[in-house]
Amino acid sequence: DVQLVESGGGLVQPGGSLRLSCAASGFSFSSHWMTWVRQAPGKGLEWVANVKEDGGEEYYLDSVNGRFTISRDNAKRSLYLQMDSLRVEDTAVYYCARGMNPHNWGQGTLVIVSS
Amino acid sequence: DIVMTQTPLTSPVTLGQPASISCSSSESLVYSDGNTYLSWFHQRPGQPPRLLIYKISTRFSGVPDRFSGSGAGTDFTLKISRVETEDVGVYFCMQAKQFPYTFGQGTKLEI
């Protein structure tokens, strides 16, 4: 079975940084694009970033471009999201998902940006 | 950015009866490869979303056949032939034709 387990969320002050991780299992990780999607409390879904199978292409939501960096380590079967210069409006549950068009999703990790 | 608009935002339904959700996009979702990258997701309270349908009408693995998708170009529909209790929650459409990928606002299915 496909499993995606996110970690690294927590409480951070505005302007701070966090690094989210996603451990993947049950599929050929290096053969799939990977995606981060977020959901603010009580709100809808917002696509954040995608990374190609080999890490050679990355795409970002405009509001996070230049502040967030998506990356992957295929040897470790892991996906990452480095989040810098965090803003209050980045508060959300962050989901890791398999595929450009998210097929399988993790349970999510909560990021709270607050002073 | 492509804007995705869902109607209705809330849908009261009756168990065993059909239900339908519409999604329209601000521009055609037909990609240069001829495919139309429109997907539907379902999210139960407190759970992550799960993929139901992709490329308008292809059901994802394990999705019951009471779910079906249709449409073309800019107008799409998700239909549930007979609503079951487990179908409550919020349904989202999403376009993956171009970055940034965008979701509809969500439609809450209530029994």
Side-chain angles (χ1 to χ4, degrees):
Chain A
D1 281 5
V2 173
Q3 281 210 334
L4 297 164
V5 180
E6 302 93 337
S7 60
L11 174 64
V12 62
Q13 292 189 338
S17 297
L18 275 179
R19 189 193 196 207
L20 305 184
S21 299
C22 172
S25 61
F27 67 99
S28 178
F29 180 75
S30 60
S31 299
H32 293 269
W33 282 72
M34 293 296 292
T35 298
W36 288 100
V37 175
R38 68 185 180 184
Q39 187 170 36
K43 302 297 184 183
L45 300 171
E46 185 172 52
W47 172 84
V48 173
N50 273 21
V51 62
K52 195 178 178 183
E53 296 95 330
D54 61 0
E57 290 181 38
E58 305 161 20
Y59 298 91
Y60 297 94
L61 181 68
D62 281 352
S63 63
V64 308
N65 198 17
R67 301 188 298 121
F68 290 11
T69 304
I70 188 172
S71 63
R72 63 192 297 162
D73 185 332
N74 286 345
K76 294 184 177 178
R77 304 174 61 83
S78 293
L79 177 71
Y80 306 102
L81 187 67
Q82 177 67 42
M83 304 188 296
D84 299 321
S85 302
L86 281 161
R87 304 169 180 168
V88 170
E89 55 266 33
D90 295 320
T91 294
V93 174
Y94 284 73
Y95 295 104
C96 153
R98 176 180 74 100
M100 287 188 80
N101 183 13
H103 280 52
N104 303 92
W105 299 59
Q107 291 294 314
T109 187
L110 177 61
V111 172
I112 300 173
V113 185
S114 174
S115 54
Chain B
D1 297 0
I2 297 177
V3 177
M4 305 297 289
T5 304
Q6 290 181 228
T7 55
L9 297 185
T10 304
S11 180
V13 295
T14 303
L15 291 177
Q17 294 300 304
S20 178
I21 299 169
S22 296
C23 174
S24 65
S25 56
S26 59
E27 60 183 81
S28 172
L29 299 185
V30 181
Y31 191 58
S32 55
D33 63 3
N35 289 309
T36 300
Y37 292 98
L38 184 283
S39 300
W40 290 96
F41 299 85
H42 175 218
Q43 186 176 33
R44 298 188 183 104
Q47 294 294 313
R50 69 162 182 147
L51 177 65
L52 295 175
I53 286 171
Y54 60 99
K55 287 196 278 187
I56 302 178
S57 59
T58 303
R59 274 190 302 277
F60 188 48
S61 173
V63 174
D65 60 8
R66 65 177 182 275
F67 290 94
S68 63
S70 62
T74 61
D75 293 291
F76 308 94
T77 302
L78 175 70
K79 291 183 180 177
I80 309 174
S81 59
R82 294 173 305 279
V83 173
E84 299 189 4
T85 307
E86 64 188 25
D87 299 337
V88 299
V90 183
Y91 291 80
F92 297 93
C93 59
M94 188 198 89
Q95 67 81 19
K97 177 198 174 185
Q98 70 183 46
F99 294 111
Y101 293 171
T102 45
F103 291 88
Q105 321 95 299
T107 295
K108 187 173 184 180
L109 208 67
E110 306 178 318
I111 296 178

